[in-house]
Every structure is written in structure tokens, then in C-alpha cells.
Amino acid sequence: MSLLQDFYSVVGYTVKDRQVSASIVINKAHPVFTGHFPDHPVTPGVCMMQIIKELTERWAQSALLLRKARNVKFMAIINPELQPNIQVDLDVEEEEGFLAVKSTTSFGDTVALKFSGVFQKI
């Protein structure tokens, strides 16, 4: 179950070993954008991190808990009215119930988020 109900749709999802490539579309009409921010919508960083978690859960076929965010760099604003089509790429390494994930979130040629962290299967 998605914590971000109706916030985004997965329109493409491919897996090659431990590499995941997902194409998503952000719902610009989602209520979160009325408060973040009126007339100037910005996709919240915490929502982008949740999307990474949910895509990793899909790969792992297990619920996950974020144990450590090693490196999180927000590099560009994602305005859902201008950039609703987002690419999320994951590199997942699994060891003893823990998943080390490196991820890049982008739109077009622009990298919006670089994430590196550790999730635990629950």
C-alpha cells in the first residue's frame, strides 16, 4: 500500500538484476500541492524519498524501514505543473535483510535528487 495515495503513478518499471528504472507521473492535482505551495507547487523532498522507498519495496517484494540516509542531495525543484514526468533509477545491494540503495531522480536532463541510504526489511 502506498503512503502517498494518488500522489504519483508508475507508468514504467524495469528491473535488470539489482538495477531498477521507473518512470512516474506526479499528480499535479494532489492536495499536498495546495499547501506546498499555493500558486507555486513544489514536490516535497520527503515525498520524493517516500517514492524511492516504495519503488525499492516493489523490487524487494517486502515492506521496508529507512535505517540510514547516508547522502541526500536535492539539486532541483520539481514543479508538478512543469515537470510531471519523473525518472527514478535505483541501484540496490542486498545483504542480510538490509538494502543499500543509491538512487537518482530526474526530469529530462536535470537531476533533481541524489539519494544513498540503507533500508531494512520488516
Side-chain angles (χ1 to χ4, degrees):
M1 181 173 114
S2 173
L3 182 64
L4 300 172
Q5 299 226 336
D6 300 321
F7 186 78
Y8 69 101
S9 302
V10 177
V11 295
Y13 185 89
T14 59
V15 176
K16 186 176 180 185
D17 298 320
R18 55 190 200 120
Q19 309 287 322
V20 176
S21 181
S23 299
I24 65 168
V25 177
I26 295 175
N27 175 8
K28 65 182 179 182
H30 192 276
V32 75
F33 295 113
T34 59
H36 203 268
F37 296 96
D39 300 322
H40 301 287
V42 174
T43 303
V46 69
C47 292
M48 294 312 302
M49 290 178 58
Q50 181 66 24
I51 290 169
I52 292 168
K53 177 183 175 275
E54 290 177 7
L55 294 173
T56 305
E57 287 175 328
R58 183 171 172 173
W59 178 87
Q61 297 180 342
S62 175
L64 300 174
L65 176 67
L66 179 62
R67 290 310 235 173
K68 180 183 254 185
R70 292 183 177 152
N71 193 8
V72 181
K73 290 185 182 179
F74 295 99
M75 303 172 73
I77 291 173
I78 299 174
N79 178 329
E81 293 179 351
L82 303 175
Q83 299 94 15
N85 301 308
I86 305 298
Q87 182 68 33
V88 182
D89 295 310
L90 308 172
D91 183 358
V92 184
E93 289 189 36
E94 185 172 10
E95 188 174 320
E96 298 178 16
F98 290 91
L99 303 174
V101 177
K102 292 181 182 175
S103 177
T104 302
T105 301
S106 58
F107 55 90
D109 293 332
T110 302
V111 174
L113 170 61
K114 287 186 178 182
F115 170 88
S116 175
V118 177
F119 293 95
Q120 181 179 9
K121 288 186 176 182
I122 53 174

